[in-house]
Amino acid sequence: MKRKKNTSKKGISKKLVEKAGMAIKHEFYLEASWILTSIFERKLNKILEKMLPQAQKQGLTFTQLINRVRNLNISGKHPDFSAYMKIGLLDDIRTWKNQRNDVLKDIPDTHVSQARLERLATEGIRLLKELNKATRSIKSADNLTDSAAENQG
C-alpha cells in the first residue's frame, strides 16, 4: 500500500521545527542553524504572500526576504502588520543571519567553538519564537477585523 505524501505546508514547518529541536538536543548546532534559516525563509515568504499576493516572492534570497518584509513594514500600508511586526525583530534576524555567515566563513580558517555554535542556534530559536508570536498576533488581529466586518455587514 502506498503512503500518501504530506504536502501541507503547515506539516512541513512543524517537522522542520522538530528537526531543529532534535539537532540542538544532540548538539548539532550548525545543522540546527541551517534548519532555522529554512524556517525563517518559509515564514517570511508566507508573510509576503499574504501581504503582497501579486509580487514575485519565489527565488528571493534570505537577505532579500528580510528587506522586502522590512520595507513592507516601513511603508505603513498595512497598519496591523506594522503594529505587531517590529523593525527591531527583522534587524535581529538579519544580525543572526550575518553571524551565521561569519561562523561559516570562520570554519575553514579557525576553530569555531561549540559554545559559539550553541549561542548561534539558541539565538535562532529565540528569534523564531518572537517571529511566531508576531505572526500569531497579526493573524488574530486579522481575524478580529474580519469578524467585525462580517458583523457590520
Side-chain angles (χ1 to χ4, degrees):
M1 180 186 247
K2 285 188 175 181
R3 291 177 65 187
K4 290 185 178 181
K5 289 184 179 180
N6 184 2
T7 57
S8 72
K9 290 182 182 180
K10 194 171 194 176
I12 292 171
S13 292
K14 197 172 196 176
K15 286 180 183 179
L16 285 173
V17 169
E18 289 172 5
K19 285 183 180 189
M22 289 298 290
I24 289 173
K25 180 181 176 185
H26 295 291
E27 299 180 359
F28 294 117
Y29 301 117
L30 188 60
E31 290 80 358
S33 298
W34 281 107
I35 294 168
L36 290 168
T37 298
S38 177
I39 297 168
F40 282 129
E41 287 175 344
R42 285 178 159 278
K43 289 197 169 287
L44 294 174
N45 242 330
K46 191 165 185 144
I47 288 169
L48 287 177
E49 281 177 16
K50 185 172 183 169
M51 300 298 192
L52 302 170
Q54 72 284 3
Q56 180 228 357
K57 294 155 294 273
Q58 296 301 322
L60 297 176
T61 65
F62 193 16
T63 301
Q64 290 171 329
L65 286 168
I66 294 169
N67 287 340
R68 292 234 177 141
V69 173
R70 191 173 194 283
N71 290 339
L72 183 66
N73 191 328
I74 291 171
S75 73
K77 293 179 183 175
H78 305 279
D80 286 343
F81 176 73
S82 297
Y84 295 108
M85 183 66 66
K86 302 297 181 197
I87 294 288
L89 173 59
L90 295 169
D91 290 340
D92 289 346
I93 292 172
R94 173 179 288 133
T95 301
W96 179 82
K97 175 198 64 80
N98 292 338
Q99 289 172 348
R100 182 208 62 194
N101 290 347
D102 290 343
V103 165
L104 281 175
K105 289 175 188 171
D106 288 347
I107 286 175
D109 300 330
T110 61
H111 172 73
V112 177
S113 71
Q114 194 74 354
R116 184 176 173 194
L117 292 171
E118 183 179 5
R119 277 193 310 271
L120 181 69
T122 54
E123 177 68 8
I125 291 289
R126 185 190 68 77
L127 291 171
L128 180 62
K129 287 178 181 179
E130 278 189 51
L131 185 60
N132 285 339
K133 183 179 175 183
T135 54
R136 274 194 302 270
S137 298
I138 293 166
K139 279 183 186 177
S140 65
D142 286 346
N143 290 339
L144 291 174
T145 306
D146 292 343
S147 62
E150 287 174 8
N151 290 339
Q152 288 179 353

